[in-house]
Amino acid sequence: MRDIVFTRRSGWIPQVIREDGELKLMLGAGADANHEPRTFTFPIGEAHLAVIREDLARHLLLWSAVLPLCDAAGTRGRLDENAAVALLDPILLSAPADVDAAFGRIQWDRGRLIAHGADIDLLERGQVCAAMRAATEASDGKRVQEHRANRRRAERGQVLGPLDTAILKYTGQYLHGATIPRRTPDAVDPALLPEVMRVIATAELACAGMRIGRDPRRGKRGTDKRDWERMAATAEAAVRRAHPGLVDDAVGTVSFLMCSEAVDRTRSMPMEDDEEAAGDRGGSARKTSLSFTDDKDAEKKWLRSHPRTATAEFWEFVGDRYAGNNEVFTIEDEAMGEGIQLHFYADSMARITTARKGEGGADPEYRVEYSLVDGIRGYRKLVSAFVRGGCAALDEHGSWMSDAAELERARRRRDSAG
C-alpha cells in the first residue's frame, strides 16, 4: 500500500510517500534497459519530512545529492540506500556551513540546482545554501543549457562579450554549437541587432559570388568540402579584419552561417542548373550517346534524346553507385572511340582515344593519357568539357602524361607538397 504524503507542484521534485507504514522519499531518475523511467525510494524520518515540507532549498539540495546515486544504479542496479540515508541528516538537519562542507565531499547534480534558480556564482564558490535562497519550484532547463555552454567555452578560453553573445543568439548557436545556424533576429537584444547585422554584412560581401558545388561522391545531396573550406576561410578572414574584438566562436558561427546557406542554395537547385552542367542540354552536337560504367560493372546509357543533360545523368550515376570499394567511373563514346576514366581514390583521371581501329581480326590500339585532378570541382570541369567536345576539349585542362609511372611521381610530389 502506497500513499502520497507530500508533493510539490513540479512533478519531478521527489515526493514523500508512506509505503507499508514507512516514510520514504520517492524520485524518478534515469531509465531502464527499455528506456522507461526508473523510480527509486529510500526511508526517511519524520524530522526529515518536516524540513522537506517547509524548506524548498533543502529539499532541492537533497535531490541534487541523491541523483548521482541513482545514476550509479544504472539501468537495472539497486539504489545504494545506505548512502542515500547517510545524506539526510547532513543536508536536511545541519547548519548551513556544515551543509556547504558536506557538498564539498560528495558528488551532486549542479544542473538540477541551476535549473531551479540557484545563484551560479555562489555555487561555484561552494556556498550552496546561500546559492539556493532564491530557489523556485519551477524548472528552467534553458538556464542549465546556457551554463553548460558557457562552461565549455570557458574551458576553451572563450569568454563572450555582449556582441559575441548577440551573434551566437542570432545564428541560434548560443546554446548548441553543433546546431545548423539560421537567422533569428528576434533572439537578439534590439540595441545590438544593428551591430550584429554589420558583422553579417561583412561576411556576405566577402563571400559574394562564391558557391559550394556538388560532390556526388558524398551522396545525392553531397556538396564540395573544399568549396566549404574556401568559403569559410574567406568569411572568417573578412570578419576578423573588420571586427578584431570578436572571439573565435562568434567568428566561426558567422562563417558557418554563410556556408550553410550556400549549401542550401546548391541543394535546392536541380542538377541541370549546376554551373558545370549548364549550357547545351544535349551536351554537344557530336555526342549522340554515351555509356557510363563503374568498377562493379554497372552500366547506364545516355542518349541525346534524353530530357536531362549527360553531365547531370553521369553525376547522378556516381551519386547512386560511389562507395569506398567503388571509386573508378568511366564515360565512353563508342561512336567516337574515346572515353575518360575517373580515379576518385587518387584525384587523377585518364583519357582514352582509339589510335588505330581493329581490322582483320586484330585488336584496336588505344592511346592512354593521364592527368592529376584538383578535387571534385576539377572533375566536374573535365567531365563537362569531355561531354561538350570529347577528348580534344581536354587539352586545355591540365597537363596530360602518357606514362603511368610519371603520373605516380607527379601524384607523390603533389601529396608531399600538400
Side-chain angles (χ1 to χ4, degrees):
M1 182 71 178
R2 174 183 293 178
D3 296 314
I4 296 176
V5 176
F6 175 73
T7 186
R8 296 189 183 274
R9 289 192 299 272
S10 175
W12 282 104
I13 299 177
Q15 300 176 330
V16 178
I17 63 170
R18 193 178 300 277
E19 189 172 49
D20 298 329
E22 184 179 22
L23 281 178
K24 293 183 178 181
L25 194 73
M26 181 175 72
L27 69 156
D32 62 19
N34 295 320
H35 306 289
E36 295 292 331
R38 295 201 69 190
T39 299
F40 300 93
T41 62
F42 61 94
I44 67 172
E46 292 289 349
H48 304 132
L49 171 59
V51 175
I52 288 171
R53 282 184 185 276
E54 299 300 326
D55 195 330
L56 171 64
R58 297 279 182 132
H59 192 178
L60 294 172
L61 287 169
L62 178 61
W63 186 19
S64 170
V66 174
L67 281 173
L69 299 178
C70 298
D71 292 338
T75 60
R76 57 171 59 95
R78 293 176 60 85
L79 176 70
D80 185 342
E81 287 194 5
N82 291 333
V85 169
L87 295 170
L88 293 171
D89 287 358
I91 294 175
L92 297 180
L93 305 180
S94 298
D98 294 330
V99 175
D100 292 346
F103 270 73
R105 297 189 299 269
I106 64 172
Q107 287 186 310
W108 48 286
D109 191 319
R110 183 185 307 269
R112 187 63 55 192
L113 301 182
I114 293 172
H116 285 271
D119 183 303
I120 296 173
D121 290 337
L122 291 175
L123 282 185
E124 297 289 349
R125 295 201 294 266
Q127 297 175 259
V128 294
C129 286
M132 298 305 293
R133 286 172 184 159
T136 62
E137 284 195 30
S139 175
D140 183 355
K142 185 176 180 180
R143 191 167 186 258
V144 182
Q145 291 175 329
E146 290 181 0
H147 171 69
R148 289 174 177 165
N150 285 325
R151 279 179 67 91
R152 289 193 296 270
R153 293 188 188 101
E155 290 169 357
R156 293 184 284 108
Q158 301 277 300
V159 179
L160 301 183
L163 182 56
D164 300 309
T165 300
I167 291 171
L168 288 166
K169 288 184 176 180
Y170 179 84
T171 63
Q173 290 201 300
Y174 178 58
L175 298 181
H176 304 288
T179 303
I180 300 298
R182 59 194 185 280
R183 299 183 185 234
T184 55
D186 292 345
V188 179
D189 181 344
L192 286 172
L193 185 57
E195 199 168 352
V196 170
M197 297 312 299
R198 282 194 289 272
V199 175
I200 300 298
T202 298
E204 290 174 330
L205 182 62
C207 296
M210 299 184 73
R211 64 187 300 278
I212 297 179
R214 297 177 188 274
D215 187 347
R217 298 172 301 177
R218 301 164 70 89
K220 288 187 176 182
R221 291 172 55 81
T223 52
D224 189 348
K225 181 180 179 181
R226 290 189 186 182
D227 281 352
W228 178 293
E229 292 171 347
R230 189 179 299 113
M231 181 177 284
T234 299
E236 288 185 14
V239 170
R240 288 187 193 282
R241 282 195 305 270
H243 309 277
L246 295 176
V247 302
D248 290 347
D249 282 9
V251 175
T253 197
V254 174
S255 70
F256 195 2
L257 177 67
M258 296 298 105
C259 293
S260 295
E261 291 182 340
V263 164
D264 286 343
R265 289 192 293 271
T266 295
R267 287 174 174 169
S268 65
M269 185 189 309
M271 184 69 80
E272 289 88 342
D273 293 338
D274 207 7
E275 66 179 5
E276 278 81 37
D280 182 0
R281 291 181 62 80
S284 160
R286 299 173 60 214
K287 301 301 180 189
T288 57
S289 67
L290 293 170
S291 175
F292 311 143
T293 57
D294 66 4
D295 215 20
K296 300 295 183 181
D297 299 324
E299 184 174 7
K300 183 177 184 179
K301 293 285 188 180
W302 173 85
L303 301 176
R304 185 174 178 80
S305 59
H306 198 281
R308 301 179 70 201
T309 64
T311 49
E313 287 291 317
F314 172 71
W315 289 117
E316 182 175 275
F317 179 68
V318 173
D320 288 338
R321 300 286 303 169
Y322 179 86
N325 62 350
N326 192 26
E327 299 181 284
V328 178
F329 288 78
T330 301
I331 306 176
E332 184 178 0
D333 184 341
E334 295 180 9
M336 297 299 297
E338 62 182 6
I340 55 175
Q341 189 176 68
L342 286 63
H343 312 134
F344 288 130
Y345 64 90
D347 274 350
S348 65
M349 181 168 141
R351 64 177 179 179
I352 304 105
T353 54
T354 303
R356 181 182 301 168
K357 295 182 179 180
E359 297 178 355
D363 292 333
E365 293 182 12
Y366 298 100
R367 181 184 182 189
V368 182
E369 297 171 289
Y370 306 92
S371 179
L372 297 176
V373 182
D374 185 17
I376 192 64
R377 176 175 287 195
Y379 278 121
R380 295 183 67 79
K381 289 180 179 178
L382 288 163
V383 168
S384 181
F386 174 77
V387 168
R388 288 196 306 270
C391 284
L394 301 178
D395 287 342
E396 62 185 277
H397 298 283
S399 175
W400 294 92
M401 298 161 268
S402 58
D403 186 358
E406 183 182 356
L407 172 71
E408 184 59 30
R409 289 193 293 272
R411 181 185 297 125
R412 289 174 181 171
R413 288 194 298 271
R414 177 195 64 189
D415 293 347
S416 62

